[in-house]
Amino acid sequence: MTSTTVPRGVYQRLESEEDKAALLHRYDNFLFDCDGVLWSGTSSLPGVASVLQKLRERGKRILFVTNNASKSRRLLLERIQQAGIQAEIDEVFSSAYASALYLKHVLKLPADRKVYVIGMSGLEEELDAVGISHLGGTDATECAPLQGLDFAPLHADGAIDPAVGAVLCGIDTAISYRKLAKAFRYITRPGATNEVKAGEQGGGCHFVCTNEDVTFPTKEGLFPGAGSCWAGLRDASRREPIVVGKPNQPMIDTIFASSDFEKARTIMVGDRLNTDILFGQRGGVDTMLVLTGVNQLDDIAAPDAPAVPTYVLDGLGSLDSVA
Amino acid sequence: MTSTTVPRGVYQRLESEEDKAALLHRYDNFLFDCDGVLWSGTSSLPGVASVLQKLRERGKRILFVTNNASKSRRLLLERIQQAGIQAEIDEVFSSAYASALYLKHVLKLPADRKVYVIGMSGLEEELDAVGISHLGGTDATECAPLQGLDFAPLHADGAIDPAVGAVLCGIDTAISYRKLAKAFRYITRPGATNEVKAGEQGGGCHFVCTNEDVTFPTKEGLFPGAGSCWAGLRDASRREPIVVGKPNQPMIDTIFASSDFEKARTIMVGDRLNTDILFGQRGGVDTMLVLTGVNQLDDIAAPDAPAVPTYVLDGLGSLDSVA
């Protein structure tokens, strides 16, 4: 065993009241992952709502940062409020919302361009919110199966809209071959009408995905996630999409572009090393792992640990006595 | 340029009448890829029908070997006959048929086990032909989209059939989240009822795919192929499927297991190095590349050439004068 001679990254374990109090002094802005931090599946976590309330009273600013692109911010807000946590819609930062902002402000999709969606109403709602027109998505015709080998609906007049400048994919429980095939055409067609960085993207239009999670947790267990909905499209087109959500850079860039948060006074709090902690680290902010979700201390010490947090805390509720 | 000092694999270019005649003496069994060899898209290739007829008259045995799993052998036979080529159903060897044989004879799926299908009627027809019961596939309920985040149909009583011992995936123009999610459950569930080699497959049931082609050629251009229909399932489950079709071993193993062909007297003829020629090479038979399809001489000389054929021939029709 050489674990003592090969030091894994150093983190501070927050156990004393003093250390916990110092944490609260050091940061102004708290980015929270939700499941595993604020609640665990369908169970609440003791003390969390109270801690959040006290942070607010001390003037801390809060964002709820989630990869869940199946729901609109409105519905995610309801979930947060169900946990007894006071929150505003502007504090909810989902990968669906971040994707809409990314298309508008970073890729600067022109106003006359549309987005072809593989995704659900929550994703469409966020595109609507930033004024981007969209096709595909929940449109019943687009969700319908093809009839055997009749490919006619895919190349009929008007099937492919030349105004589409981006394909946006998230989890889609109404995924269809028709949507996959059209998205494939958009991202591979030569001479795409998308003038913005088209060259960088291999000639087709932009190919943006909300998040890369291959599974989606439900109270009935895991089901295929967003990453599983766009994997075939990536393989068929041989194009790597821009993935917005944690642990990728676009989501954190979008957070800082749309807020005046100072990085040095911001901390990302999460339960997963490979998404939350890596995300914060890549974004240049300090991070804190809570042990109420997926990862535990052993995972940080593992040789293949994806990231090492700045701090480790048993659970967010344990700040209640000092907050 | 160092191409003369680094010899790429050696092949024999068949140009003289003598060389062509020798080929016909040397082999008894001819395995033919279809598109690019017997025809090209919707165009016929001159002399091919005549050559096939003459091979037959000389007592040669013929198999048509195709990765197309969207159609049954019956429909593939019709396509061959449309090209003016005489053929029998037993000479058609598709990846769908090979998959059904593989499940039955190699994996020895017990008679009381069923197969969950992501695929089309052609695939179901081949399972029927070997007496394997199946679920999913073209069943209209299974092809229907879910309603938003209502996952109830996926975990209702009876949604998951404990008799399922394998998931079989091919191209599916009626792919649905419901089918992906059920297939995911079957291949990842602990304590699967499949007793055959379950340990080797990570606890879930068998995970078999007809072919790995990520695109599907149609006269209207490329659309997503079989490989794009199962990519998400592979990523979500983190399990590599057994892929039956060219260039993989199961298809050629199945050919030799279901025939009395002598390998030394068998040749695989195709237009693609990365499927047909690699397939023959892996299967231990000689190979011939024809230049009427995808690959040309330059491709054989390329440093990343996936395989080098035994012979190269301009086109199958050029054997007409000697056959």
Side-chain angles (χ1 to χ4, degrees), chain B residues 207-234:
Chain B
F207 181 19
V208 178
C209 297
T210 57
N211 59 310
E212 63 194 17
D213 305 70
V214 290
T215 54
F216 184 80
T218 75
K219 61 180 187 296
E220 308 296 337
L222 294 178
F223 286 115
S228 301
C229 292
W230 53 258
L233 208 47
R234 173 202 61 207

PDB file of all heavy atoms in Angstrom, chain B residues 207-234:
ATOM      1  N   PHE B 207     -27.528  -9.193 -24.239  1.00  0.00           N
ATOM      2  CA  PHE B 207     -27.691  -7.929 -24.967  1.00  0.00           C
ATOM      3  C   PHE B 207     -27.061  -8.131 -26.336  1.00  0.00           C
ATOM      4  O   PHE B 207     -25.838  -8.147 -26.463  1.00  0.00           O
ATOM      5  CB  PHE B 207     -27.003  -6.816 -24.169  1.00  0.00           C
ATOM      6  CG  PHE B 207     -27.079  -5.423 -24.762  1.00  0.00           C
ATOM      7  CD1 PHE B 207     -28.026  -5.062 -25.712  1.00  0.00           C
ATOM      8  CD2 PHE B 207     -26.187  -4.439 -24.323  1.00  0.00           C
ATOM      9  CE1 PHE B 207     -28.075  -3.779 -26.230  1.00  0.00           C
ATOM     10  CE2 PHE B 207     -26.235  -3.149 -24.830  1.00  0.00           C
ATOM     11  CZ  PHE B 207     -27.180  -2.821 -25.782  1.00  0.00           C
ATOM     12  N   VAL B 208     -27.915  -8.347 -27.327  1.00  0.00           N
ATOM     13  CA  VAL B 208     -27.458  -8.720 -28.666  1.00  0.00           C
ATOM     14  C   VAL B 208     -27.941  -7.678 -29.670  1.00  0.00           C
ATOM     15  O   VAL B 208     -29.094  -7.238 -29.603  1.00  0.00           O
ATOM     16  CB  VAL B 208     -28.005 -10.112 -29.058  1.00  0.00           C
ATOM     17  CG1 VAL B 208     -27.568 -10.499 -30.472  1.00  0.00           C
ATOM     18  CG2 VAL B 208     -27.551 -11.176 -28.050  1.00  0.00           C
ATOM     19  N   CYS B 209     -27.058  -7.281 -30.573  1.00  0.00           N
ATOM     20  CA  CYS B 209     -27.443  -6.303 -31.601  1.00  0.00           C
ATOM     21  C   CYS B 209     -27.172  -6.879 -32.979  1.00  0.00           C
ATOM     22  O   CYS B 209     -26.179  -7.586 -33.175  1.00  0.00           O
ATOM     23  CB  CYS B 209     -26.667  -5.005 -31.418  1.00  0.00           C
ATOM     24  SG  CYS B 209     -27.036  -4.210 -29.838  1.00  0.00           S
ATOM     25  N   THR B 210     -28.047  -6.575 -33.919  1.00  0.00           N
ATOM     26  CA  THR B 210     -27.907  -7.156 -35.255  1.00  0.00           C
ATOM     27  C   THR B 210     -26.647  -6.667 -35.949  1.00  0.00           C
ATOM     28  O   THR B 210     -25.934  -7.449 -36.554  1.00  0.00           O
ATOM     29  CB  THR B 210     -29.113  -6.781 -36.132  1.00  0.00           C
ATOM     30  OG1 THR B 210     -29.215  -5.353 -36.180  1.00  0.00           O
ATOM     31  CG2 THR B 210     -30.397  -7.386 -35.580  1.00  0.00           C
ATOM     32  N   ASN B 211     -26.415  -5.376 -35.894  1.00  0.00           N
ATOM     33  CA  ASN B 211     -25.260  -4.806 -36.599  1.00  0.00           C
ATOM     34  C   ASN B 211     -24.911  -3.445 -36.017  1.00  0.00           C
ATOM     35  O   ASN B 211     -25.710  -2.858 -35.297  1.00  0.00           O
ATOM     36  CB  ASN B 211     -25.515  -4.701 -38.104  1.00  0.00           C
ATOM     37  CG  ASN B 211     -26.724  -3.845 -38.452  1.00  0.00           C
ATOM     38  OD1 ASN B 211     -27.797  -4.044 -37.901  1.00  0.00           O
ATOM     39  ND2 ASN B 211     -26.550  -2.910 -39.350  1.00  0.00           N
ATOM     40  N   GLU B 212     -23.702  -2.982 -36.335  1.00  0.00           N
ATOM     41  CA  GLU B 212     -23.217  -1.770 -35.689  1.00  0.00           C
ATOM     42  C   GLU B 212     -23.214  -0.550 -36.619  1.00  0.00           C
ATOM     43  O   GLU B 212     -22.763   0.521 -36.209  1.00  0.00           O
ATOM     44  CB  GLU B 212     -21.811  -1.999 -35.130  1.00  0.00           C
ATOM     45  CG  GLU B 212     -20.765  -2.297 -36.183  1.00  0.00           C
ATOM     46  CD  GLU B 212     -19.467  -2.848 -35.581  1.00  0.00           C
ATOM     47  OE1 GLU B 212     -19.467  -3.304 -34.429  1.00  0.00           O
ATOM     48  OE2 GLU B 212     -18.454  -2.826 -36.293  1.00  0.00           O
ATOM     49  N   ASP B 213     -23.753  -0.696 -37.823  1.00  0.00           N
ATOM     50  CA  ASP B 213     -23.753   0.429 -38.770  1.00  0.00           C
ATOM     51  C   ASP B 213     -24.522   1.609 -38.169  1.00  0.00           C
ATOM     52  O   ASP B 213     -25.707   1.500 -37.873  1.00  0.00           O
ATOM     53  CB  ASP B 213     -24.415   0.012 -40.083  1.00  0.00           C
ATOM     54  CG  ASP B 213     -23.782  -1.232 -40.688  1.00  0.00           C
ATOM     55  OD1 ASP B 213     -23.963  -2.334 -40.115  1.00  0.00           O
ATOM     56  OD2 ASP B 213     -23.103  -1.109 -41.707  1.00  0.00           O
ATOM     57  N   VAL B 214     -23.834   2.740 -38.022  1.00  0.00           N
ATOM     58  CA  VAL B 214     -24.492   3.893 -37.388  1.00  0.00           C
ATOM     59  C   VAL B 214     -25.372   4.662 -38.367  1.00  0.00           C
ATOM     60  O   VAL B 214     -26.198   5.473 -37.959  1.00  0.00           O
ATOM     61  CB  VAL B 214     -23.486   4.863 -36.717  1.00  0.00           C
ATOM     62  CG1 VAL B 214     -22.871   4.215 -35.485  1.00  0.00           C
ATOM     63  CG2 VAL B 214     -22.417   5.331 -37.687  1.00  0.00           C
ATOM     64  N   THR B 215     -25.177   4.425 -39.660  1.00  0.00           N
ATOM     65  CA  THR B 215     -26.072   5.045 -40.640  1.00  0.00           C
ATOM     66  C   THR B 215     -26.697   3.974 -41.520  1.00  0.00           C
ATOM     67  O   THR B 215     -26.183   2.851 -41.623  1.00  0.00           O
ATOM     68  CB  THR B 215     -25.329   6.066 -41.536  1.00  0.00           C
ATOM     69  OG1 THR B 215     -24.197   5.416 -42.117  1.00  0.00           O
ATOM     70  CG2 THR B 215     -24.873   7.268 -40.731  1.00  0.00           C
ATOM     71  N   PHE B 216     -27.803   4.334 -42.144  1.00  0.00           N
ATOM     72  CA  PHE B 216     -28.582   3.410 -42.958  1.00  0.00           C
ATOM     73  C   PHE B 216     -28.766   4.076 -44.324  1.00  0.00           C
ATOM     74  O   PHE B 216     -29.350   5.158 -44.414  1.00  0.00           O
ATOM     75  CB  PHE B 216     -29.938   3.179 -42.285  1.00  0.00           C
ATOM     76  CG  PHE B 216     -30.819   2.177 -42.973  1.00  0.00           C
ATOM     77  CD1 PHE B 216     -30.616   0.813 -42.783  1.00  0.00           C
ATOM     78  CD2 PHE B 216     -31.872   2.588 -43.795  1.00  0.00           C
ATOM     79  CE1 PHE B 216     -31.443  -0.116 -43.402  1.00  0.00           C
ATOM     80  CE2 PHE B 216     -32.694   1.655 -44.420  1.00  0.00           C
ATOM     81  CZ  PHE B 216     -32.478   0.298 -44.226  1.00  0.00           C
ATOM     82  N   PRO B 217     -28.229   3.462 -45.393  1.00  0.00           N
ATOM     83  CA  PRO B 217     -28.337   4.112 -46.701  1.00  0.00           C
ATOM     84  C   PRO B 217     -29.726   3.934 -47.310  1.00  0.00           C
ATOM     85  O   PRO B 217     -30.263   2.832 -47.319  1.00  0.00           O
ATOM     86  CB  PRO B 217     -27.277   3.386 -47.542  1.00  0.00           C
ATOM     87  CG  PRO B 217     -27.118   2.050 -46.902  1.00  0.00           C
ATOM     88  CD  PRO B 217     -27.514   2.185 -45.460  1.00  0.00           C
ATOM     89  N   THR B 218     -30.305   5.018 -47.796  1.00  0.00           N
ATOM     90  CA  THR B 218     -31.568   4.933 -48.534  1.00  0.00           C
ATOM     91  C   THR B 218     -31.370   5.732 -49.814  1.00  0.00           C
ATOM     92  O   THR B 218     -30.366   6.444 -49.956  1.00  0.00           O
ATOM     93  CB  THR B 218     -32.747   5.568 -47.752  1.00  0.00           C
ATOM     94  OG1 THR B 218     -32.637   6.998 -47.825  1.00  0.00           O
ATOM     95  CG2 THR B 218     -32.750   5.121 -46.295  1.00  0.00           C
ATOM     96  N   LYS B 219     -32.316   5.627 -50.720  1.00  0.00           N
ATOM     97  CA  LYS B 219     -32.132   6.378 -51.968  1.00  0.00           C
ATOM     98  C   LYS B 219     -32.246   7.882 -51.724  1.00  0.00           C
ATOM     99  O   LYS B 219     -31.880   8.682 -52.575  1.00  0.00           O
ATOM    100  CB  LYS B 219     -33.079   5.892 -53.066  1.00  0.00           C
ATOM    101  CG  LYS B 219     -34.554   6.017 -52.781  1.00  0.00           C
ATOM    102  CD  LYS B 219     -35.333   5.480 -54.010  1.00  0.00           C
ATOM    103  CE  LYS B 219     -36.830   5.716 -53.893  1.00  0.00           C
ATOM    104  NZ  LYS B 219     -37.462   5.002 -52.767  1.00  0.00           N
ATOM    105  N   GLU B 220     -32.736   8.272 -50.566  1.00  0.00           N
ATOM    106  CA  GLU B 220     -32.802   9.690 -50.199  1.00  0.00           C
ATOM    107  C   GLU B 220     -31.605  10.104 -49.360  1.00  0.00           C
ATOM    108  O   GLU B 220     -31.605  11.195 -48.777  1.00  0.00           O
ATOM    109  CB  GLU B 220     -34.086   9.972 -49.415  1.00  0.00           C
ATOM    110  CG  GLU B 220     -35.357   9.486 -50.077  1.00  0.00           C
ATOM    111  CD  GLU B 220     -35.633  10.195 -51.404  1.00  0.00           C
ATOM    112  OE1 GLU B 220     -35.123  11.315 -51.583  1.00  0.00           O
ATOM    113  OE2 GLU B 220     -36.340   9.613 -52.242  1.00  0.00           O
ATOM    114  N   GLY B 221     -30.613   9.235 -49.250  1.00  0.00           N
ATOM    115  CA  GLY B 221     -29.428   9.581 -48.463  1.00  0.00           C
ATOM    116  C   GLY B 221     -29.382   8.793 -47.164  1.00  0.00           C
ATOM    117  O   GLY B 221     -30.155   7.864 -46.959  1.00  0.00           O
ATOM    118  N   LEU B 222     -28.449   9.181 -46.311  1.00  0.00           N
ATOM    119  CA  LEU B 222     -28.233   8.452 -45.064  1.00  0.00           C
ATOM    120  C   LEU B 222     -29.228   8.860 -43.982  1.00  0.00           C
ATOM    121  O   LEU B 222     -29.576  10.032 -43.854  1.00  0.00           O
ATOM    122  CB  LEU B 222     -26.818   8.720 -44.545  1.00  0.00           C
ATOM    123  CG  LEU B 222     -25.659   8.198 -45.379  1.00  0.00           C
ATOM    124  CD1 LEU B 222     -24.335   8.608 -44.740  1.00  0.00           C
ATOM    125  CD2 LEU B 222     -25.726   6.683 -45.533  1.00  0.00           C
ATOM    126  N   PHE B 223     -29.639   7.862 -43.201  1.00  0.00           N
ATOM    127  CA  PHE B 223     -30.430   8.117 -42.000  1.00  0.00           C
ATOM    128  C   PHE B 223     -29.782   7.324 -40.855  1.00  0.00           C
ATOM    129  O   PHE B 223     -28.911   6.488 -41.099  1.00  0.00           O
ATOM    130  CB  PHE B 223     -31.892   7.708 -42.221  1.00  0.00           C
ATOM    131  CG  PHE B 223     -32.647   8.659 -43.100  1.00  0.00           C
ATOM    132  CD1 PHE B 223     -33.130   8.262 -44.335  1.00  0.00           C
ATOM    133  CD2 PHE B 223     -32.869   9.969 -42.689  1.00  0.00           C
ATOM    134  CE1 PHE B 223     -33.816   9.153 -45.154  1.00  0.00           C
ATOM    135  CE2 PHE B 223     -33.549  10.868 -43.499  1.00  0.00           C
ATOM    136  CZ  PHE B 223     -34.029  10.464 -44.731  1.00  0.00           C
ATOM    137  N   PRO B 224     -30.195   7.564 -39.615  1.00  0.00           N
ATOM    138  CA  PRO B 224     -29.589   6.801 -38.510  1.00  0.00           C
ATOM    139  C   PRO B 224     -29.801   5.285 -38.676  1.00  0.00           C
ATOM    140  O   PRO B 224     -30.880   4.843 -39.080  1.00  0.00           O
ATOM    141  CB  PRO B 224     -30.329   7.338 -37.273  1.00  0.00           C
ATOM    142  CG  PRO B 224     -30.745   8.734 -37.654  1.00  0.00           C
ATOM    143  CD  PRO B 224     -31.105   8.629 -39.110  1.00  0.00           C
ATOM    144  N   GLY B 225     -28.762   4.528 -38.400  1.00  0.00           N
ATOM    145  CA  GLY B 225     -28.806   3.074 -38.567  1.00  0.00           C
ATOM    146  C   GLY B 225     -28.953   2.337 -37.247  1.00  0.00           C
ATOM    147  O   GLY B 225     -29.159   2.952 -36.187  1.00  0.00           O
ATOM    148  N   ALA B 226     -28.813   1.009 -37.330  1.00  0.00           N
ATOM    149  CA  ALA B 226     -28.996   0.164 -36.143  1.00  0.00           C
ATOM    150  C   ALA B 226     -28.111   0.627 -34.981  1.00  0.00           C
ATOM    151  O   ALA B 226     -28.561   0.741 -33.845  1.00  0.00           O
ATOM    152  CB  ALA B 226     -28.692  -1.292 -36.495  1.00  0.00           C
ATOM    153  N   GLY B 227     -26.852   0.902 -35.297  1.00  0.00           N
ATOM    154  CA  GLY B 227     -25.910   1.284 -34.247  1.00  0.00           C
ATOM    155  C   GLY B 227     -26.341   2.543 -33.509  1.00  0.00           C
ATOM    156  O   GLY B 227     -26.031   2.727 -32.330  1.00  0.00           O
ATOM    157  N   SER B 228     -27.070   3.417 -34.203  1.00  0.00           N
ATOM    158  CA  SER B 228     -27.563   4.634 -33.568  1.00  0.00           C
ATOM    159  C   SER B 228     -28.794   4.358 -32.716  1.00  0.00           C
ATOM    160  O   SER B 228     -29.133   5.151 -31.842  1.00  0.00           O
ATOM    161  CB  SER B 228     -27.913   5.680 -34.628  1.00  0.00           C
ATOM    162  OG  SER B 228     -26.767   5.957 -35.396  1.00  0.00           O
ATOM    163  N   CYS B 229     -29.479   3.251 -33.002  1.00  0.00           N
ATOM    164  CA  CYS B 229     -30.669   2.911 -32.211  1.00  0.00           C
ATOM    165  C   CYS B 229     -30.288   2.279 -30.871  1.00  0.00           C
ATOM    166  O   CYS B 229     -31.046   2.369 -29.916  1.00  0.00           O
ATOM    167  CB  CYS B 229     -31.585   1.992 -33.010  1.00  0.00           C
ATOM    168  SG  CYS B 229     -32.347   2.821 -34.433  1.00  0.00           S
ATOM    169  N   TRP B 230     -29.124   1.624 -30.789  1.00  0.00           N
ATOM    170  CA  TRP B 230     -28.760   1.004 -29.510  1.00  0.00           C
ATOM    171  C   TRP B 230     -27.631   1.715 -28.771  1.00  0.00           C
ATOM    172  O   TRP B 230     -27.290   1.316 -27.645  1.00  0.00           O
ATOM    173  CB  TRP B 230     -28.480  -0.496 -29.649  1.00  0.00           C
ATOM    174  CG  TRP B 230     -27.491  -0.955 -30.685  1.00  0.00           C
ATOM    175  CD1 TRP B 230     -27.778  -1.509 -31.901  1.00  0.00           C
ATOM    176  CD2 TRP B 230     -26.052  -0.964 -30.595  1.00  0.00           C
ATOM    177  NE1 TRP B 230     -26.631  -1.840 -32.569  1.00  0.00           N
ATOM    178  CE2 TRP B 230     -25.553  -1.534 -31.790  1.00  0.00           C
ATOM    179  CE3 TRP B 230     -25.144  -0.554 -29.609  1.00  0.00           C
ATOM    180  CZ2 TRP B 230     -24.183  -1.690 -32.034  1.00  0.00           C
ATOM    181  CZ3 TRP B 230     -23.775  -0.708 -29.854  1.00  0.00           C
ATOM    182  CH2 TRP B 230     -23.326  -1.277 -31.054  1.00  0.00           C
ATOM    183  N   ALA B 231     -27.091   2.800 -29.324  1.00  0.00           N
ATOM    184  CA  ALA B 231     -25.964   3.486 -28.676  1.00  0.00           C
ATOM    185  C   ALA B 231     -26.321   3.971 -27.267  1.00  0.00           C
ATOM    186  O   ALA B 231     -25.528   3.843 -26.331  1.00  0.00           O
ATOM    187  CB  ALA B 231     -25.499   4.660 -29.533  1.00  0.00           C
ATOM    188  N   GLY B 232     -27.526   4.525 -27.123  1.00  0.00           N
ATOM    189  CA  GLY B 232     -27.932   5.052 -25.818  1.00  0.00           C
ATOM    190  C   GLY B 232     -28.081   3.958 -24.775  1.00  0.00           C
ATOM    191  O   GLY B 232     -27.770   4.148 -23.588  1.00  0.00           O
ATOM    192  N   LEU B 233     -28.528   2.814 -25.239  1.00  0.00           N
ATOM    193  CA  LEU B 233     -28.696   1.663 -24.350  1.00  0.00           C
ATOM    194  C   LEU B 233     -27.339   1.151 -23.850  1.00  0.00           C
ATOM    195  O   LEU B 233     -27.174   0.820 -22.675  1.00  0.00           O
ATOM    196  CB  LEU B 233     -29.419   0.579 -25.158  1.00  0.00           C
ATOM    197  CG  LEU B 233     -30.276  -0.431 -24.456  1.00  0.00           C
ATOM    198  CD1 LEU B 233     -31.210   0.203 -23.455  1.00  0.00           C
ATOM    199  CD2 LEU B 233     -31.075  -1.217 -25.505  1.00  0.00           C
ATOM    200  N   ARG B 234     -26.395   1.118 -24.752  1.00  0.00           N
ATOM    201  CA  ARG B 234     -25.026   0.741 -24.388  1.00  0.00           C
ATOM    202  C   ARG B 234     -24.444   1.737 -23.392  1.00  0.00           C
ATOM    203  O   ARG B 234     -23.898   1.345 -22.356  1.00  0.00           O
ATOM    204  CB  ARG B 234     -24.154   0.701 -25.660  1.00  0.00           C
ATOM    205  CG  ARG B 234     -22.673   0.493 -25.417  1.00  0.00           C
ATOM    206  CD  ARG B 234     -21.850   0.985 -26.597  1.00  0.00           C
ATOM    207  NE  ARG B 234     -22.061   2.413 -26.794  1.00  0.00           N
ATOM    208  CZ  ARG B 234     -21.939   3.051 -27.951  1.00  0.00           C
ATOM    209  NH1 ARG B 234     -21.583   2.398 -29.042  1.00  0.00           N
ATOM    210  NH2 ARG B 234     -22.168   4.352 -28.032  1.00  0.00           N
TER     211      ARG B 234
END
